Amino acid sequence: MGSGHLALNNAFGRGRMIEAAIRRLPGQASSARVFLESPAPGGWPLRGHVELQGHQQDSTWNQTRIGTGLRYQFDAATWIGASFSADGTRAGFSGSELIGQRQRVPRSSSRMGGLTMLISRLDDTRYPRQGFRLETGLERGIRSSRGREIVAGDTLFVDRSERRERLEMDLDLYLMLHRHVGWALGVHIQAIRAGRPDVSELIFLGGATSLRGYDENRFQGTTVGRAFLEGRWYVDRRSWGFLFFDAGWVVVDADFESGLPLILSRGEGFHPGYGFGFVFSSAVGPLSLSYALNPDITWSEGRVHIGLSFGL
């Protein structure tokens, strides 16, 4: 398994931005994302974007998503925006199975609209040491689905149309205590509210970018959160070593039915992790190396994470 991320800032001039990412995950799962952003012509403080995403979860389900949005920039690090997205989900062989009274993953499509906001006061966007960053987003919309259900002893195809809400909040804080000593801490929360969510709508948690002591996408829930604390010793402006503690939590709504056996096997509740690592600057971007553990494994079973982010 592995991942790659490429970011082109000011691509082709005029402040355009292009990002591409691909992830190969355990269990024959993979995802890809392409993001394009450009400023409005005429000097208006507006920026528009288009985003394409795809995810394949082994033989259970696959999903494609397209999104677009427009934001108003108060300055380079403060903006508010509106977004619209549409996605389609198709069940694979495992997703077509009946779990309890209904199909694990019905065929579905969603239309969502929302608002986003960013407030950032960082001294350096790529190597922050001082300041904070807050980003929030709220989406609401309708999901239409068609799947098999057992009704009065018969297996029938049932069409449904239900409301959905998605919330996401990221808050990161950086503080320098001394020339070589600093702290980094953050809280990241994601939640979905729906009457009858299925397994394809659950939010993943675990891995190199969230709970570092656990495997990629180890946990899933309708509400997930992660808090982290890092103590840093800076060698220079863009290189440091760190000790960290991660705390994650996973909640599954009582209305969730079809994926419940899967969730219980993956652990609902509180999940701590800890470890150490280093970050080095390079000509193309930061290079990171960390060793992470959780209370259920020994020191020899820790997770090694190596990352190189390309930013040009």
Side-chain angles (χ1 to χ4, degrees):
M1 62 182 179
S3 63
H5 178 244
L6 174 66
L8 301 177
N9 296 308
N10 198 35
F12 312 111
R14 300 179 63 87
R16 298 184 181 93
M17 183 171 68
I18 301 175
E19 289 188 30
I22 186 169
R23 301 178 69 193
R24 185 69 176 90
L25 305 170
Q28 297 182 340
S30 59
S31 64
R33 173 180 177 266
V34 177
F35 179 85
L36 310 173
E37 184 181 83
S38 178
W44 289 85
L46 300 172
R47 295 182 68 89
H49 74 263
V50 176
E51 182 178 24
L52 303 174
Q53 293 187 60
H55 185 92
Q56 174 74 46
Q57 188 66 30
D58 49 60
S59 62
T60 307
W61 55 273
N62 67 81
Q63 184 180 85
T64 56
R65 178 181 181 273
I66 181 170
T68 185
L70 184 68
R71 72 189 193 196
Y72 179 87
Q73 292 206 208
F74 299 94
D75 56 49
T78 305
W79 50 258
I80 186 170
S83 63
F84 174 81
S85 65
D87 63 58
T89 302
R90 301 294 180 266
F93 179 78
S94 298
S96 299
E97 297 176 342
L98 290 175
I99 303 295
Q101 299 296 309
R102 61 190 177 111
Q103 186 174 327
R104 173 179 286 180
V105 181
R107 181 177 181 138
S108 65
S109 61
S110 300
R111 303 292 183 270
M112 307 284 287
L115 297 174
T116 57
M117 180 189 71
L118 172 72
I119 301 175
S120 179
R121 296 295 181 267
L122 300 177
D123 59 341
D124 189 314
T125 56
R126 296 179 70 185
Y127 301 90
R129 304 206 313 173
Q130 191 79 22
F132 73 93
R133 183 183 187 277
L134 171 64
E135 185 172 3
T136 62
L138 174 64
E139 286 186 307
R140 301 185 68 180
I142 299 293
R143 180 175 187 260
S144 301
S145 64
R146 179 177 175 83
R148 293 181 299 150
E149 296 187 21
I150 298 177
V151 181
D154 294 326
T155 302
L156 306 174
F157 281 97
V158 177
D159 295 311
R160 295 185 180 276
S161 182
E162 300 172 315
R163 292 188 176 275
R164 292 288 187 269
E165 290 186 358
R166 295 173 184 158
L167 171 68
E168 185 170 355
M169 187 200 75
D170 295 334
L171 174 61
D172 297 311
L173 177 64
Y174 303 88
L175 178 65
M176 289 297 297
L177 303 180
H178 184 267
R179 180 181 176 184
H180 294 287
V181 180
W183 292 96
L185 59 153
V187 177
H188 303 162
I189 299 173
Q190 291 179 275
I192 179 170
R193 292 292 175 264
R196 296 164 62 90
D198 63 62
V199 68
S200 70
E201 297 183 276
L202 297 178
I203 304 166
F204 292 107
L205 184 70
T209 59
S210 56
L211 294 182
R212 288 164 279 190
Y214 298 86
D215 293 335
E216 295 289 329
N217 293 351
R218 175 66 174 82
F219 309 108
Q220 299 175 41
T222 51
T223 299
V224 303
R226 173 224 179 194
F228 74 90
L229 175 65
E230 288 186 6
R232 296 180 172 183
W233 175 267
Y234 288 90
V235 179
D236 56 39
R237 183 67 181 80
R238 297 185 173 185
S239 301
W240 64 88
F242 60 91
L243 300 174
F244 70 84
F245 175 78
D246 292 334
W249 61 95
V250 180
V251 177
V252 180
D253 285 350
D255 290 331
F256 184 81
E257 295 176 6
S258 67
L260 190 57
L262 174 64
I263 289 301
L264 292 180
S265 69
R266 294 194 173 189
E268 183 180 5
F270 177 74
H271 306 283
Y274 48 87
F276 61 90
F278 305 90
V279 174
F280 307 94
S281 62
S282 70
V284 295
L287 172 65
S288 62
L289 171 66
S290 65
Y291 191 77
L293 301 110
N294 68 68
D296 299 325
I297 61 176
T298 65
W299 278 92
S300 62
E301 298 173 311
R303 275 58 175 172
V304 178
H305 302 292
I306 301 174
L308 176 61
S309 296
F310 290 90
L312 303 174

